[in-house]
Amino acid sequence: MVGEETDQIKSRLFEFISIALEILGAWLLLIAYTWIGGPYKGLIISILGFLLVLYLIDKQNLFKLFLRFDPREFQLFLPIGIEFMISLIVVYAFVLIEHNSVVINPGDLGLFFQYLSQEALLIIREELATSFCWFLIAFKILNLFNKSEINPKQIKLMTILFALIFALFHIPNLSGIMSINSGNVRLWVFLFGIAYSGFCLGLYLKTLFIKTFSLPLVVIAHFLINLPRHFNDLYRFQLFSPELSVIFLFFLTPSIYLIYTITCLFKQVENPRLKILIMGIKQ
């Protein structure tokens, strides 16, 4: 009996240490690239390093469960398509009214492709950390303290929690947005708007990830969501007044993602790979 209890304590201690190291690994993946070479070299080294470590420790091949890609699931990009359509219509209408010919400014091709490659690396690293790592860590913690099977309600709650954390991570973007504000919009509106926008987009991306088990699909979705926010004047307070831009960027478009997530993605059946993942974690 004493030997069995000692083994159980050692097993629990090992699981706690393993979870703590995984949390540290996810955190390092998010920020370590700034220490080792910046946007390109640092990102490539940190992502490859993470994948190498994952390859060495992932004995159950759990990571492979998330590498599937089914083009038919592009139908789940409906809110992204709606946002693109709204922004194109608004921008086109403004061009006609103001007789302007250039509103979307990608710059020269070299700068544009430089952005594409850097943004792709940033998003891959972000989704590896905030989708794959966070869910894996959460499942391991639930498995450690919960003797019953992990249920859909718990998964939904952890998805909402991750969306809240995702929103908090994007609060630092406030300084850049405030720098192009004319001062007509109050600070608390910006704070609430960024938090609300981050939560809605985070909830969409995290739900998309756990419902499809497709890391490539979520990376593409995240990239498409970010794309107009970098190159479209509609998202940079240069097309309309700051008040109207805040309504569009922080409240209208995020609500599209929130409504779609609640009414459609939440109702998607759980992916069969979820059981395989949970069984792999229990081993």
Side-chain angles (χ1 to χ4, degrees):
M1 290 291 292
V2 176
E4 290 181 1
E5 290 180 0
T6 303
D7 290 341
Q8 289 179 355
I9 293 173
K10 288 182 178 179
S11 177
R12 279 291 183 95
L13 181 61
F14 176 79
E15 289 175 357
F16 274 118
I17 295 174
S18 176
I19 291 171
L21 289 175
E22 288 172 6
I23 293 173
L24 176 63
W27 178 72
L28 287 174
L29 181 59
L30 286 173
I31 67 168
Y33 76 94
T34 60
W35 308 336
I36 51 176
Y40 289 105
K41 182 181 177 181
L43 282 168
I44 292 172
I45 292 174
S46 60
I47 291 172
L48 290 179
F50 174 83
L51 293 176
L52 176 61
V53 172
L54 189 62
Y55 173 77
L56 294 174
I57 67 174
D58 187 16
K59 303 301 182 182
Q60 289 83 27
N61 291 322
L62 299 181
F63 184 59
K64 289 184 179 179
L65 294 173
F66 295 94
L67 295 181
R68 60 177 295 277
F69 179 74
D70 185 351
R72 292 174 297 181
E73 291 176 334
F74 278 131
Q75 63 181 316
L76 302 177
F77 284 17
L78 179 61
I80 300 175
I82 293 173
E83 180 183 3
F84 268 78
M85 288 295 296
I86 292 174
S87 62
L88 286 173
I89 291 170
V90 172
V91 169
Y92 182 67
F94 180 79
V95 169
L96 291 179
I97 294 170
E98 298 293 327
H99 304 290
N100 291 330
S101 58
V102 178
V103 176
I104 299 175
N105 301 304
D108 59 43
L109 286 177
L111 184 62
F112 181 66
F113 287 116
Q114 181 182 357
Y115 159 78
L116 292 182
S117 57
Q118 180 176 326
E119 187 69 12
L121 289 171
L122 285 168
I123 289 173
I124 290 171
R125 139 264 187 198
E126 185 172 340
E127 290 303 331
L128 279 171
T130 67
S131 289
F132 172 72
C133 288
W134 285 4
F135 273 108
L136 198 63
I137 291 167
F139 284 134
K140 288 187 176 182
I141 293 173
L142 281 177
N143 180 61
L144 193 60
F145 293 101
N146 188 9
K147 294 183 180 180
S148 60
E149 289 292 328
I150 298 173
N151 57 62
K153 184 178 180 180
Q154 291 172 324
I155 295 173
K156 186 179 293 185
L157 287 174
M158 73 173 66
T159 304
I160 293 172
L161 175 62
F162 293 158
L164 288 170
I165 299 174
F166 185 86
L168 292 176
F169 277 2
H170 287 78
I171 290 293
N173 292 341
L174 178 67
S175 58
I177 293 173
M178 286 294 291
S179 66
I180 55 176
N181 176 35
S182 65
N184 297 326
V185 181
R186 294 181 182 275
L187 176 61
W188 71 266
V189 176
F190 273 99
L191 283 171
F192 180 79
I194 290 178
Y196 176 73
S197 175
F199 173 77
C200 294
L201 296 176
L203 188 65
Y204 169 75
L205 289 170
K206 304 314 162 197
T207 307
L208 183 68
F209 177 79
I210 201 61
K211 291 293 186 179
T212 64
F213 265 61
S214 177
L215 182 64
L217 190 76
V218 175
V219 168
I220 294 171
H222 197 154
F223 183 85
L224 292 176
I225 289 171
N226 282 5
L227 190 61
R229 286 163 173 77
H230 285 267
F231 293 118
N232 193 329
D233 286 345
L234 180 59
Y235 296 81
R236 294 154 72 181
F237 304 90
Q238 296 172 6
L239 195 59
F240 298 119
S241 66
E243 293 86 352
L244 290 176
S245 296
V246 164
I247 292 173
F248 177 82
L249 179 59
F250 292 152
F251 297 101
L252 175 61
T253 54
S255 296
I256 295 171
Y257 290 90
L258 180 63
I259 292 170
Y260 180 80
T261 302
I262 293 173
T263 59
C264 297
L265 284 185
F266 276 177
K267 295 181 180 180
Q268 294 274 327
V269 296
E270 298 300 334
N271 195 292
R273 293 175 177 242
L274 180 61
K275 290 185 177 180
I276 301 174
L277 175 67
I278 294 172
M279 289 175 60
I281 290 173
K282 288 181 178 293
Q283 293 179 1

